[in-house]
């Protein structure tokens, strides 16, 4: 069912500092910082030859990553995103197997302008999983 690893998302407190680590220390190509008020985050994308890294900094008072940073003060891996060919079909297959889909279960338009869903970390080895329609 799952296809390519689209990105790994890392939650950070200071996105400028975090981006500098990838740009200067690791020598990666980084995007500009983009504020995504609909998602409560600012993002920087780092393009690697085979996937992307997405840096997330909280934006606004009730950012979905604030609690994560309370539990992980140094930041850390927040989710992994896998591509699927048909997101509704993938959702229905997973739900039939007992997996929990977060929110109302309807795909939302994600940071890349494509439909996404999130799956409960308790059902996936303690890791929040994002599905993105390829
Ligand atoms: Co993501």
């Amino acid at each position: 069912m799952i296809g390519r690893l689209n990105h790994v998302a890392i939650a950070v407190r200071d996105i400028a500092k975090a981006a500098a680590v990838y740009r200067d220390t690791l020598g990666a190509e980084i995007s500009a910082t983009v504020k995504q008020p609909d998602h409560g985050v600012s993002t920087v994308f780092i393009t690697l030859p085979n996937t992307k890294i997405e840096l997330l900094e909280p934006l606004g008072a009730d950012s979905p990553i604030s609690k994560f940073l309370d539990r992980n003060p140094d930041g850390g891996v927040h989710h992994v995103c896998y591509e699927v060919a048909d997101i509704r079909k993938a959702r229905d297959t997973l739900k039939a197997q007992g997996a929990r889909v977060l929110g109302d279960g309807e795909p939302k338009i994600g940071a890349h302008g494509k439909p996404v869903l999130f799956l409960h970390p308790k059902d996936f080895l303690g890791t929040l999983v994002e599905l993105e329609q390829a």
Side-chain angles (χ1 to χ4, degrees), residues 7 9 54 79 130:
H7 61 270
E54 179 181 274
H79 64 267
E130 179 179 20

Side-chain angles (χ1 to χ4, degrees), residues 6-9 45 54 56 78-81 111-112 116 118 130 132:
N6 185 277
H7 61 270
V8 174
F45 286 101
E54 179 181 274
L56 304 173
H78 183 263
H79 64 267
V80 292
C81 176
H112 313 115
V116 303
F118 285 91
E130 179 179 20
E132 179 175 299

Side-chain angles (χ1 to χ4, degrees), residues 78-126:
H78 183 263
H79 64 267
V80 292
C81 176
Y82 301 118
E83 295 179 0
V84 293
D86 181 333
I87 198 161
R88 286 190 165 79
K89 198 172 156 195
R91 173 198 62 193
D92 294 345
T93 304
L94 289 162
K95 281 176 82 170
Q97 294 175 93
R100 286 165 284 183
V101 177
L102 299 189
D104 64 7
E106 281 307 306
K108 303 271 187 302
I109 298 303
H112 313 115
K114 293 180 173 173
V116 303
L117 282 174
F118 285 91
L119 305 173
H120 201 296
K122 286 206 161 80
D123 297 329
F124 294 95
L125 320 181

Side-chain angles (χ1 to χ4, degrees), residues 10-12 39-42 56-59 62-70 78:
I10 300 176
V12 301
H39 298 285
V41 292
S42 296
L56 304 173
E57 181 190 73
L59 178 66
D62 41 40
S63 170
I65 63 167
S66 294
K67 270 191 198 142
F68 180 90
L69 284 169
D70 288 343
H78 183 263

